[in-house]
């Protein structure tokens, strides 16, 4: 076991309670946002929890994972349904990497195509190096 998720969920609840005591309006706002997403109930509670788990994985949120895993189980999600939702998360993350890889290639093409001009302004790294070199020469 990587983590005692039940214990972690208790610790998380204590931390959220403390935030609620220090900033009750923040927690009220969070609860209102959560409730607003459930009003129409078109997806149903189980599907919302499966989506929440996929998002939790994408965001790498351990707190979200423990809370929404418990909620998904309570709403009838089985291990296979959770695995399928996680497969969607993996696919979306891989797809996002692919899309951003295409953006890098586009940036490369765009930057490479721009005519180059000789620049007298050193790069920030060069400016730092020149400053260090200047101080070293003055100290000799």
């Amino acid at each position: 076991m990587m983590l005692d998720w039940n214990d972690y969920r208790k610790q998380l609840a204590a931390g959220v309670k403390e935030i609620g005591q220090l900033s009750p309006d923040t927690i009220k706002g969070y609860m209102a946002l959560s409730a607003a997403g459930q009003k129409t109930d078109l997806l149903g509670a189980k599907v919302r929890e499966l989506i929440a788990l996929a998002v939790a994985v994408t965001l790498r949120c351990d707190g979200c994972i423990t809370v929404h895993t418990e909620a998904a189980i309570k709403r009838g999600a089985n291990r296979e349904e959770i695995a399928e939702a996680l497969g969607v998360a993996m696919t979306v993350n891989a797809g996002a990497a692919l899309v951003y890889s295409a953006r890098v290639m586009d940036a490369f093409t765009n930057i490479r195509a721009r005519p180059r001009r000789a620049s007298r302004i050193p790069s920030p790294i060069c400016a730092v190096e020149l400053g260090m070199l200047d101080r070293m020469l003055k100290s000799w």
Side-chain angles (χ1 to χ4, degrees):
M1 177 172 25
M2 292 181 216
L3 182 64
D4 183 337
W5 294 96
N6 292 309
D7 188 51
Y8 179 62
R9 198 170 46 260
K10 290 175 191 171
Q11 293 172 24
L12 182 62
V16 169
K17 181 180 178 183
E18 181 182 3
I19 293 169
Q21 291 167 342
L22 295 169
S23 184
D25 288 340
T26 300
I27 300 301
K28 286 178 190 168
Y30 172 80
M31 297 303 288
L33 182 62
S34 180
Q38 300 172 27
K39 274 190 176 175
T40 59
D41 200 34
L42 295 175
L43 296 175
K46 181 172 81 170
V47 172
R48 278 195 308 276
E49 292 304 333
L50 292 170
I51 292 169
L53 282 172
V55 173
V57 166
T58 300
L59 294 175
R60 297 171 186 92
C61 176
D62 283 343
C64 303
I65 288 170
T66 189
V67 168
H68 291 290
T69 298
E70 181 185 45
I73 292 167
K74 284 181 179 177
R75 283 154 181 84
N78 62 37
R79 191 174 189 83
E80 292 76 17
E81 290 169 322
I82 290 172
E84 185 174 334
L86 299 177
V88 172
M90 287 182 253
T91 304
V92 171
N93 280 306
L98 179 59
V99 168
Y100 272 82
S101 295
R103 291 174 66 84
V104 168
M105 299 312 294
D106 183 59
F108 177 85
T109 301
N110 181 262
I111 292 166
R112 191 72 184 236
R114 190 173 49 197
R116 295 182 181 197
R117 292 183 257 158
S119 174
R120 294 178 183 245
I121 303 170
S123 70
I125 293 173
C126 292
V128 170
E129 290 171 351
L130 288 174
M132 289 171 41
L133 181 60
D134 186 52
R135 284 192 297 279
M136 285 173 47
L137 291 173
K138 286 180 181 176
S139 68
W140 286 344

